[in-house]
Amino acid sequence: MLVLSLICTSGLVYAADGNAGDLSMSALTLTTNADGSQEYSVTLQILIFMTALSFIPAAIIMMTSFTRIVVILAILRQAFGLQQTPSNQVIIGLTLFMTLFIMTPVYNEINARAIQPYLQEELTSVEAVSKAIVPLRAFMLEQTRLKDLGTLAEMAGIENVDSPADLPMTVIIPAFIISELKTAFQIGFILFIPFLIIDLVVASILMAMGMMMLSPMIVSLPFKLMLFVMIDGWNLVIGTIATSYGMGG
């Protein structure tokens, strides 16, 4: 609020006719260039950027590979039967770096298309945002099922589009999130099965031995850890996640 107040206060200037009571927001303007393009004033660009900072965490979580990775790792921890190992900090940290790894090609394209031309003053801020959305939209559409797109488009009352790329981001983003959750659950299910089998075998053995008071989780946990280490589980999990996004193909 303090930053917003300072920006708005700096935008209030006295009118040219000298009337002290006439104030204008000349610092917050939208200028039309000679070629027809539009450009926001620097003060307004700062205001928009400061406002966008509050949406950056949501954008990182919902418009990148973050959702799929963190759900898979959470399911994997549940399959082990561990509540705090790996800790939430480790899971979030690994997810962030894996997201950075997977999203690097998209960022490089955004940097080449929008960021660098904007810094070199070859594009206006509005044009830069429009060009930056293109690679991100392409990434999301590659991971989104047509069924999810169709459902959201129908709910939004959109019909007869030439291609999925013509759909607005308000349709693409929720469809992408739904598809990511389904894919994460599918991969998580596959990862869960071997650990579930170990739990069933250990429970059956303990039942046959009459050791019903002993928790099968205590006995099965070492076997789960041994199996995961022997098959180089972390390498397989991370490789599977990266491959699901077409990395290394």
Side-chain angles (χ1 to χ4, degrees):
M1 291 302 295
L2 177 60
V3 175
L4 179 60
S5 300
L6 290 175
I7 293 174
C8 292
T9 302
S10 64
L12 292 172
V13 297
Y14 288 103
D17 58 2
N19 294 328
D22 295 334
L23 300 177
S24 65
M25 297 287 287
S26 60
L28 306 179
T29 59
L30 179 61
T31 305
T32 302
N33 300 323
D35 58 356
S37 61
Q38 292 181 322
E39 175 71 3
Y40 294 106
S41 63
V42 176
T43 307
L44 189 55
Q45 291 182 36
I46 295 174
L47 177 60
I48 294 174
F49 175 75
M50 296 299 294
T51 304
L53 286 178
S54 61
F55 296 100
I56 289 178
I60 293 177
I61 292 175
M62 296 303 177
M63 300 174 65
T64 64
S65 58
F66 186 95
T67 302
R68 181 187 302 186
I69 299 172
V70 76
V71 171
I72 291 173
L73 295 181
I75 293 176
L76 178 63
R77 183 173 66 178
Q78 187 69 28
F80 274 119
L82 301 172
Q83 300 299 323
Q84 299 296 331
T85 305
S87 64
N88 291 332
Q89 291 85 348
V90 173
I91 289 180
I92 297 299
L94 177 59
T95 302
L96 284 174
F97 281 105
M98 279 299 299
T99 300
L100 179 63
F101 172 74
I102 292 172
M103 298 301 297
T104 294
V106 179
Y107 168 76
N108 291 337
E109 189 173 354
I110 292 175
N111 184 56
R113 283 173 171 255
I115 298 178
Q116 291 304 319
Y118 174 71
L119 294 177
Q120 297 171 9
E121 299 184 353
E122 297 176 1
L123 295 175
T124 65
S125 58
V126 177
E127 293 172 339
V129 171
S130 299
K131 289 185 176 295
I133 290 176
V134 175
L136 188 59
R137 180 194 290 119
F139 168 79
M140 289 191 290
L141 288 175
E142 287 179 359
Q143 308 300 327
T144 306
R145 298 182 303 158
L146 292 177
K147 180 180 180 181
D148 295 329
L149 285 172
T151 300
L152 270 298
E154 182 180 355
M155 294 173 63
I158 300 175
E159 300 178 356
N160 301 325
V161 293
D162 295 333
S163 67
D166 295 331
L167 292 170
M169 293 295 285
T170 53
V171 171
I172 295 176
I173 293 175
F176 169 74
I177 297 172
I178 294 172
S179 296
E180 286 291 279
L181 289 174
K182 178 179 180 179
T183 303
F185 280 17
Q186 289 174 334
I187 297 176
F189 171 78
I190 296 174
L191 293 175
F192 208 107
I193 292 300
F195 300 106
L196 179 61
I197 293 175
I198 293 177
D199 284 334
L200 292 175
V201 171
V202 170
S204 299
I205 293 176
L206 292 178
M207 184 70 69
M209 296 175 63
M211 304 174 66
M212 293 175 291
M213 301 301 295
L214 180 62
S215 174
M217 192 69 63
I218 299 177
V219 180
S220 63
L221 180 57
F223 292 99
K224 292 179 182 179
L225 295 177
M226 181 181 65
L227 173 65
F228 197 72
V229 171
M230 288 180 59
I231 65 174
D232 198 4
W234 287 113
N235 183 284
L236 291 176
V237 171
I238 298 303
T240 299
I241 294 173
T243 304
S244 68
Y245 284 100
M247 304 292 294

